[in-house]
Amino acid sequence: QVQLVESGGGLVQAGGSLRLSCAASGRTFSSYAMGWFRQAPGKEREFVAAIWWSGGSTYYADSVKGRFTISRDNAKNTVYLQMNNLKPEDTADYYCGAALGATITNVYAYNYWGQGTQVTVSS
């Protein structure tokens, strides 16, 4: 069992930055791939970024590539999402997930989810 708690969301102007954190409980955190997804009102949850358990490989949605960076600290059971040059279209609830599935860019690979943190980017 893994429990996930996101933090770091908020209101920011376009061009600004935020860093989201996702703290995990459970001794098997390092066994899971971790990912960030987002969901805007009236839309489906969409992939943002993911990282394998070793931290050696990362994946990004095209819409955030070059602006967002995912990282993890297995010693702290935490995964981060550094978001730079934010745009109004980045406004959404952001969720972190823990995956045992292989296709970690797909929502169905994830076994556990946090409660989400809201990000609002004003123009």
Side-chain angles (χ1 to χ4, degrees):
Q1 187 80 9
V2 175
Q3 292 184 326
L4 305 172
V5 179
E6 301 98 332
S7 61
L11 173 64
V12 64
Q13 289 188 330
S17 298
L18 285 174
R19 189 175 83 152
L20 305 183
S21 299
C22 174
S25 64
R27 292 177 290 179
T28 59
F29 171 77
S30 60
S31 300
Y32 291 85
M34 299 296 295
W36 287 95
F37 286 70
R38 66 188 181 188
Q39 189 166 16
K43 295 188 176 182
E44 293 186 351
R45 191 168 296 190
E46 67 172 5
F47 169 72
V48 175
I51 186 167
W52 282 111
W53 64 271
S54 66
S57 294
T58 56
Y59 305 87
Y60 297 94
D62 288 342
S63 59
V64 307
K65 205 170 291 184
R67 300 188 297 122
F68 291 11
T69 303
I70 188 171
S71 61
R72 66 188 294 164
D73 186 337
N74 286 342
K76 295 182 178 180
N77 280 9
T78 302
V79 62
Y80 305 97
L81 185 69
Q82 178 66 44
M83 306 187 295
N84 298 328
N85 190 21
L86 283 159
K87 303 176 180 181
E89 52 264 42
D90 295 318
T91 295
D93 292 327
Y94 283 70
Y95 298 87
C96 76
L100 290 175
T103 309
I104 61 173
T105 58
N106 190 310
V107 66
Y108 296 106
Y110 289 79
N111 304 84
Y112 302 101
W113 293 97
Q115 84 290 347
T117 186
Q118 189 173 55
V119 171
T120 303
V121 184
S122 63
S123 58

